[in-house]
Amino acid sequence: SSSNSSIATVSASGLVTAIAQGSATITANCDGVNGSAQVSVTPVPVASVAVEPVGPTLAIGEQLQFRATLKDQHGATLSEREIKWSASPGGLVGLSASGLAVANKEGAVEVIAESEGVKGTTRLTVTPAPVMAIVLTPAEASVTVGGTITLVAALTDKSGGKLTGREVTFRSSAEKVATVSNRGAVTGQTEGAVEITATAEGKQATA
């Protein structure tokens, strides 16, 4: 018999079946004589860790929740196990205790989930934050025929952070009135009005 059948049961032939973590006393009786043994039931060990999503890409400033699936040697999913999250190399992403990643710097990083000494990884690629807005200054200007002024394009991300090192193209709506270089230098050709458009990663601004 078992002292705690919620922990372990025993058959008439003495076969003990583990039910849950804990301990139970198994007792055998023969002709009025008892013998007992203490049985400890331990958790099934983790055999594999799989991290999802696999191979994601994040832009700087974005967040992503990672998940870890733990399985035993027979492929059964395990729950209620402690999982430790880390990233290598450090500094590219911030990673919470629950696996929430925040992209900080451009590059590639391995996101690691570890449980009971078993690790699973996935590769995260961090890309530059996309351009969300362009502001041209000055927004309105005049230039003499033959004269030149330079327009400056300021690029920002979704949080308003300034972006540098991005390709910006400039276009004049009427090159007979004014031309514009790829650096934003506007040269007056004849008298009249003209719009100058700056484009970066699909975002536009005009002056």
Side-chain angles (χ1 to χ4, degrees), residues 127-152:
T127 59
V131 174
M132 295 302 292
I134 304 177
V135 176
L136 274 177
T137 54
E140 295 183 4
S142 61
V143 60
T144 60
V145 174
T148 299
I149 61 169
T150 299
L151 300 178
V152 178

Side-chain angles (χ1 to χ4, degrees), residues 24-119:
T25 300
I26 304 300
T27 303
N29 179 278
C30 183
D31 295 333
V33 179
N34 291 332
S36 63
Q38 189 78 10
V39 174
S40 295
V41 179
T42 59
V44 176
V46 174
S48 67
V49 178
V51 179
E52 294 178 307
V54 176
T57 298
L58 279 183
I60 292 173
E62 291 183 336
Q63 299 182 355
L64 179 64
Q65 179 65 57
F66 284 94
R67 304 179 303 277
T69 300
L70 315 181
K71 293 187 177 182
D72 64 17
Q73 62 180 342
H74 303 295
T77 300
L78 303 174
S79 60
E80 298 183 359
R81 305 297 173 93
E82 183 180 0
I83 300 172
K84 179 182 178 182
W85 292 93
S86 61
S88 178
L92 297 184
V93 298
L95 202 57
S96 73
S98 64
L100 178 65
V102 180
N104 295 326
K105 295 181 181 179
E106 184 179 357
V109 61
E110 291 293 325
V111 176
I112 305 163
E114 181 178 356
S115 182
E116 298 178 13
V118 181
K119 297 180 180 180

